[in-house]
Amino acid sequence: MAKGIIKVKAKASGDKTKVKLMAKHIMETGLRTDKKTGEKIPEMYLKELKVMHAGKEVFAANMGTAVSKNPYFAFNFAGGAKGDELTMTWVESTGNTATETAKIK
């Protein structure tokens, strides 16, 4: 899976930062079959997602096959300021991994 799958809206307000995050991913379980070929569709889902701010983990999710396509997460954390950077790291069931960044507004 290519980079750029995570869309983030993060806004600092007072001493908190609100984050809304969607991972654009198929989240394929590996249990379905292709209707045309009858072959099993290989599993490909996000297993882990971590969000870091200023070197500290502010959010983590361990996911499995029961998570729907394009998972959405919303959370708050203490701290953060306009212009600060969030770093999102994800691991896929295929072993692929990537890191993406987003600015807090």
Side-chain angles (χ1 to χ4, degrees):
M1 185 77 21
K3 277 189 166 188
I5 69 165
I6 299 177
K7 295 188 175 228
V8 178
K9 288 185 181 179
K11 186 173 181 180
S13 179
D15 63 345
K16 290 185 181 177
T17 298
K18 291 183 178 185
V19 180
K20 295 178 182 178
L21 178 151
M22 184 176 75
K24 294 194 56 102
H25 196 280
I26 61 172
M27 300 298 280
E28 186 58 60
T29 65
L31 302 174
R32 296 184 323 124
T33 56
D34 185 303
K35 291 181 181 179
K36 291 180 182 177
T37 65
E39 293 182 24
K40 201 174 219 184
I41 300 170
E43 75 176 28
M44 186 188 322
Y45 60 90
L46 295 177
K47 288 176 63 172
E48 297 175 20
L49 173 63
K50 291 183 182 180
V51 180
M52 306 286 285
H53 172 260
K56 294 182 181 178
E57 187 177 283
V58 294
F59 177 81
N62 292 313
M63 296 171 272
T65 58
V67 177
S68 69
K69 178 180 177 180
N70 301 329
Y72 172 82
F73 303 95
F75 61 94
N76 300 325
F77 68 91
K82 184 177 181 177
D84 285 359
E85 196 169 77
L86 297 176
T87 303
M88 289 77 56
T89 303
W90 52 265
V91 178
E92 199 175 60
S93 61
T94 61
N96 290 339
T97 185
T99 299
E100 303 179 34
T101 58
K103 296 266 187 202
I104 297 173
K105 295 182 180 187

